[in-house]
Amino acid sequence: MRYLIATIPGDGIGPDVTREAVTCLEAVAKVFELDFEFEECLMGGAAIDACGEPLPAATIRAACASHAVLLGAVGGSKWDGLPGPKRPEAGLLGIRSALGVYANLRPALMFPQLAGACPLRPELVEGGFDILIVRELTGGIYFGDRGRSPDGRYAWDTERYSRHEIERLLEVGFDAARRRKGRLCMVDKANVLESSRLWREVATQMGRERSDVELSFMYVDNCAMQLVRDPRQFDVIATSNMFGDILSDEASMITGSIGMLASASLGDDGPGLYEPIHGSAPDIAGMDRANPLAAILSAALLLRHSLGLEDGALAIEGAVALVLERGYRCADIATRSAPGPGAPVEGRARELLLGTRAMGAMVAETILGGSS
Ligand code: IPM
Ligand code: MG
């Protein structure tokens, strides 16, 4: 079977990390004798520079015709002055919407090997934690009515959700909880927002017929606090687009680094979209300093969710764990700053610092080695 994978490297470190994810997918193809065809597409600032718009029609066509889409990151200060619909980020929202990928799964899993990079006190994360954030991705304030008054003195953005949008997202949350520890925490701001009260109403109704899952509710401000107070209390968190965006950055940091967090965005059918949750970090673009592991782990999610290749997904995840176990680190997950590439990290003889390419190559080699 030939699998068509559309790649959208995007801007900043997007191309750096996407290249390494592709290298790892090629290693998986070799080991499991699969046929992957990659088609590179333009989006974000790169597309603005090349053809004047953040999401060319050709990219939408290629993405829709693929089995899955692997995305890097978009944006950068170069395009910050552009009006909203012309910004690189509009390309990202546009492709999510075009693919109908309303459920964004963001696993915040702490690799035990990275416990030293976690900013929380060791006793709070002993034994690790494993949280899945299920973020609504194609609705809410990201897509609601927005504008400015003619005199420029007012601006507004609207949070708007339909029952249908809430139901389908929560269904993904309930399903995920059932396959995990059976606990679903819905996060909202129901003490203030009417849209949140609708979320609670829908969740309560759904929960009555899904009593195998333990449903709870939490206000988003409390959740932000609880994540750093006691992250092990959470199993699955389901929430709106905006709250999920914010909470997943927070959850990522307590796993060690935002450079570790992968994501899968899924709809009812059609290709899924896979991207690291980090941004384009233009300040380190092209410098061989970005951590490619979030992109590589996103490629594992792609194999699992869109191609049904669980063995391939496990091969990537196992290789990442092994590479970390052997002490290899990118700068963001090193316990202390290190003097240079390949050199032992100061004070931690067993940590070795790698650049983007070397880390990608190390994971790919480990995948290949694991087969012999
Ligand atoms: C993310 C990012 C995007 C978002 C930005 C770049 C539009 O922060 O994927 O988390 O807010 O969804
Ligand atoms: Mg974000």
Side-chain angles (χ1 to χ4, degrees):
M1 165 108 185
R2 192 182 183 85
Y3 295 102
L4 191 61
I5 301 173
T7 64
I8 306 181
D11 310 318
I13 58 169
D16 304 1
V17 299
T18 305
R19 190 186 51 230
E20 302 315 319
V22 167
T23 302
C24 291
L25 284 172
E26 279 165 347
V28 168
K30 213 162 178 184
V31 172
F32 296 93
E33 294 177 7
L34 300 162
D35 192 0
F36 293 154
E37 187 186 324
F38 297 96
E39 183 175 356
E40 196 171 304
C41 306
L42 284 172
M43 202 183 83
I48 295 172
D49 288 352
C51 47
E53 48 179 336
L55 182 58
T59 297
I60 300 183
R61 267 199 308 276
C64 290
S66 71
H67 289 99
V69 184
L70 184 67
L71 195 144
V74 294
S77 53
K78 183 177 171 193
W79 305 281
D80 272 351
L82 294 170
K86 297 214 174 297
R87 290 176 60 101
E89 291 80 2
L92 182 56
L93 301 195
I95 193 82
R96 289 171 177 171
S97 189
L99 293 171
V101 286
Y102 59 83
N104 180 213
L105 312 184
R106 299 190 157 189
L109 178 84
M110 192 175 89
F111 282 87
Q113 298 88 341
L114 294 185
C118 172
L120 301 184
R121 284 203 313 275
E123 66 268 27
L124 297 179
V125 292
E126 210 185 309
F129 58 86
D130 176 4
I131 305 170
L132 178 67
I133 298 183
V134 180
R135 170 192 178 193
E136 200 289 327
L137 201 64
T138 53
I141 200 166
Y142 274 60
F143 291 89
D145 179 52
R146 69 178 99 252
R148 285 206 186 200
S149 59
D151 64 6
R153 289 203 299 147
Y154 301 95
W156 66 91
D157 298 274
T158 320
E159 175 86 339
R160 187 189 166 103
Y161 272 112
S162 69
R163 273 180 190 275
H164 169 67
E165 287 173 309
I166 299 167
E167 259 165 27
R168 65 184 184 177
L169 188 275
L170 289 176
E171 198 69 85
V172 174
F174 276 107
D175 284 348
R178 215 168 270 132
R179 284 194 307 272
R180 295 163 48 98
K181 294 189 205 106
R183 285 184 283 124
L184 176 64
C185 178
M186 206 200 82
V187 171
D188 61 30
K189 189 70 186 172
N191 49 348
V192 177
L193 303 178
E194 194 54 36
S195 53
S196 286
R197 288 192 273 272
L198 182 61
W199 274 76
R200 275 206 189 199
E201 209 175 290
V202 172
T204 307
Q205 280 165 3
M206 291 175 75
R208 280 193 202 112
E209 290 146 29
R210 294 163 183 76
S211 50
D212 52 331
V213 171
E214 186 193 314
L215 175 67
S216 62
F217 299 98
M218 195 178 272
Y219 296 140
V220 64
D221 47 350
N222 184 25
C223 181
M225 183 268 279
Q226 295 294 341
L227 274 171
V228 290
R229 194 188 73 88
D230 175 21
R232 287 174 301 189
Q233 72 182 283
F234 294 104
D235 181 17
V236 179
I237 292 176
T239 192
S240 65
N241 204 340
M242 173 88 132
F243 295 158
D245 177 46
I246 298 167
L247 293 176
S248 58
D249 267 34
E250 186 187 0
S252 75
M253 196 55 221
I254 57 172
T255 69
S257 166
I258 193 167
M260 292 300 298
L261 249 74
S263 89
S265 305
L266 308 171
D268 288 325
D269 42 38
L273 176 68
Y274 300 84
E275 49 174 319
I277 80 154
H278 61 68
S280 59
D283 53 322
I284 57 164
M287 292 166 66
D288 199 41
R289 281 178 54 194
N291 181 353
L293 291 178
I296 290 171
L297 291 167
S298 298
L301 295 180
L302 180 155
L303 295 175
R304 173 170 298 129
H305 294 290
S306 281
L307 309 190
L309 299 169
E310 181 66 19
D311 288 352
L314 291 174
I316 292 185
E317 289 164 352
V320 168
L322 204 60
V323 164
L324 293 174
E325 185 62 43
R326 293 190 188 131
Y328 295 105
R329 301 284 187 268
C330 287
D332 61 322
I333 48 173
T335 310
R336 307 245 186 104
S337 57
V345 176
E346 187 198 335
R348 297 270 167 157
R350 52 174 203 87
E351 285 192 6
L352 292 164
L353 194 64
L354 297 183
T356 313
R357 281 176 185 275
M359 181 57 98
M362 185 68 75
V363 176
E365 266 165 42
T366 309
I367 294 168
L368 292 168
S371 66
S372 54

